[in-house]
Amino acid sequence: MDSPDDLVFVSRRRRPIPASVIKIAFGRSANRCAFPECPPVMLDNGVPLLEIAYISSMVAGGPRYSHSLTRAGGDSADNIIILCPTHHRLVDKNPEIFTAEELIKIRGVHYERVQRALSTEQKRTTSNRLADLLEVWNQKRATGDEEYWQQLFSDHPEAFSLALEGRAYTLSSKCYVGGKSVANTGGNVLDFLAQHSGNVAIVEIKTPTTKLLAPQKYRGNVYAPSRELAGSTVQALEYRHGLITNLPALAFETPGLRATQPMGVVIIGDLEKEEMGEDGRRSFELYRSSFRDLKIMTYDELFGGIQMLVNILRD
Ligand SMILES: [Zn+2]
């Protein structure tokens, strides 16, 4: 986007309009004439041909002259509408049709249109990032390298947006909030908490190839969790316990701090790929539903949720 200084505009007044006001006006109008469907007119060098028009003139006899307008009010972004030269001439020659109220209405509709376009754009960007992530999942599903998945989730914190119910979270000494990575000097979770009041999760990452159940039946139709699943579960609980133990001291230093129910999360295994049969599946579900402050989520569940989100965003 061009800076407002590059834009061509004609002002009938000699006094310059403050640069900040020009930036606001051009920014809100997205470098387009406020008239609906007015095609952008560009100069040969690609600079849009636009003008700054006053909604109410400060000069007696000028279009839509308002005697009550102060100097500051006249020069504010509220009194400015961005128009192409054709529409500028049209509104200034017909002030009885294009009254101040009418121009404010036209401008309002235009600003709303710009806002809608921008939020659609943002949605598309998010869904593209998530779609990239799904592509990686489809290709690397069989990758058993723990560091690979750690790195992937570090690069794509938005992957947890569904799983963690909006909590800030920590992942191998890095901290994340609102799907974004945040600087956390020293990687201290407590420092992080102090800066981001709100509930948190501690995420433990294994791999999709990590087995969920022990290879042999335990007894009858009962299966035990794999050593990796049991180990990472206890690890996450241990981390959570450490956090809670340290909270009183931290809350003393940081009034208003909230971390009443920090949650442990373990991302592990692939239910679709692991052959566990009905008995095995029941043992696994009984095991993971027995925790109160810990969530065990498999990779296929995590990416299944992302797939759903992508579908919603694309609708
Ligand atoms: Zn126009």
Side-chain angles (χ1 to χ4, degrees):
M1 206 180 279
D2 298 289
S3 85
D5 301 337
D6 295 334
L7 298 163
V8 173
F9 57 87
V10 176
S11 168
R12 299 214 171 111
R13 291 153 73 254
R14 291 186 181 85
R15 198 158 47 82
I17 302 160
S20 60
V21 171
I22 296 175
K23 278 182 184 165
I24 290 170
F26 278 100
R28 286 183 184 159
S29 63
N31 294 344
R32 294 287 293 268
C33 170
F35 272 68
E37 328 251 312
C38 178
V41 180
M42 305 275 187
L43 298 180
D44 287 345
N45 60 2
V47 175
L49 189 56
L50 292 167
E51 298 182 355
I52 288 178
Y54 288 97
I55 288 181
S56 297
S57 173
M58 283 174 284
V59 184
R64 297 166 297 274
Y65 167 66
S66 167
H67 63 90
S68 61
L69 208 54
T70 62
R71 218 176 146 97
D75 267 344
S76 76
D78 283 347
N79 193 38
I80 284 171
I81 180 168
I82 304 299
L83 296 173
C84 68
T86 309
H87 282 122
H88 191 178
R89 225 170 303 125
L90 179 77
V91 303
D92 279 0
K93 287 214 162 124
N94 303 282
E96 66 290 341
I97 299 170
F98 297 103
T99 59
E101 291 72 28
E102 184 59 25
L103 288 187
I104 287 168
K105 214 165 93 190
I106 291 171
R107 185 183 63 178
V109 171
H110 177 60
Y111 283 179
E112 268 175 38
R113 211 162 40 232
V114 170
Q115 278 307 317
R116 256 201 316 276
L118 288 176
S119 79
T120 307
E121 180 68 22
Q122 188 155 22
K123 261 202 235 132
R124 204 173 300 133
T125 310
T126 307
S127 91
N128 281 350
R129 275 184 70 88
L130 292 174
D132 289 350
L133 205 53
L134 283 176
E135 190 58 38
V136 171
W137 165 240
N138 289 328
Q139 285 172 17
K140 299 283 184 177
R141 191 167 183 164
T143 301
D145 177 4
E146 208 168 294
E147 277 189 17
Y148 175 81
W149 294 103
Q150 290 269 4
Q151 191 56 50
L152 182 74
F153 289 125
S154 290
D155 295 342
H156 292 269
E158 69 274 14
F160 291 121
S161 49
L162 278 185
L164 302 187
E165 296 148 18
R167 288 166 191 253
Y169 63 97
T170 73
L171 182 68
S172 58
S173 87
K174 268 196 192 167
C175 295
Y176 303 85
V177 66
K180 286 198 171 67
S181 173
V182 289
N184 176 37
T185 13
N188 188 331
V189 176
L190 293 179
D191 287 346
F192 165 67
L193 266 181
Q195 291 160 31
H196 299 277
S197 192
N199 232 332
V200 289
I202 290 153
V203 184
E204 184 72 19
I205 301 280
K206 305 312 277 183
T207 80
T209 60
T210 312
K211 289 279 174 270
L212 297 166
L213 297 181
Q216 314 291 332
K217 259 184 197 177
Y218 175 69
R219 191 175 292 161
N221 51 9
V222 170
Y223 284 80
S226 69
R227 194 174 166 276
E228 283 296 307
L229 176 56
S232 55
T233 312
V234 177
Q235 178 104 64
L237 287 172
E238 181 72 31
Y239 204 169
R240 182 180 177 276
H241 176 71
L243 184 62
I244 291 172
T245 311
N246 285 300
L247 269 180
L250 187 71
F252 184 72
E253 288 167 28
T254 316
L257 175 70
R258 270 177 54 238
T260 45
Q261 281 292 70
M263 185 165 68
V265 178
V266 179
I267 311 288
I268 186 170
D270 187 340
L271 273 173
E272 281 173 15
K273 295 277 177 202
E274 187 167 339
E275 312 253 321
M276 51 168 70
E278 229 172 272
D279 289 344
R281 182 61 188 256
R282 191 175 54 251
S283 289
F284 172 69
E285 295 299 344
L286 283 172
Y287 178 72
R288 74 164 159 180
S289 64
S290 67
F291 295 99
R292 199 188 43 185
D293 307 309
L294 184 86
K295 191 162 163 179
I296 297 168
M297 198 173 206
T298 63
Y299 274 79
D300 54 317
E301 288 170 334
L302 180 75
F303 284 100
I306 292 171
Q307 177 72 68
M308 251 163 52
L309 191 58
V310 167
N311 296 345
I312 292 167
L313 286 168
R314 291 217 160 141
D315 273 349

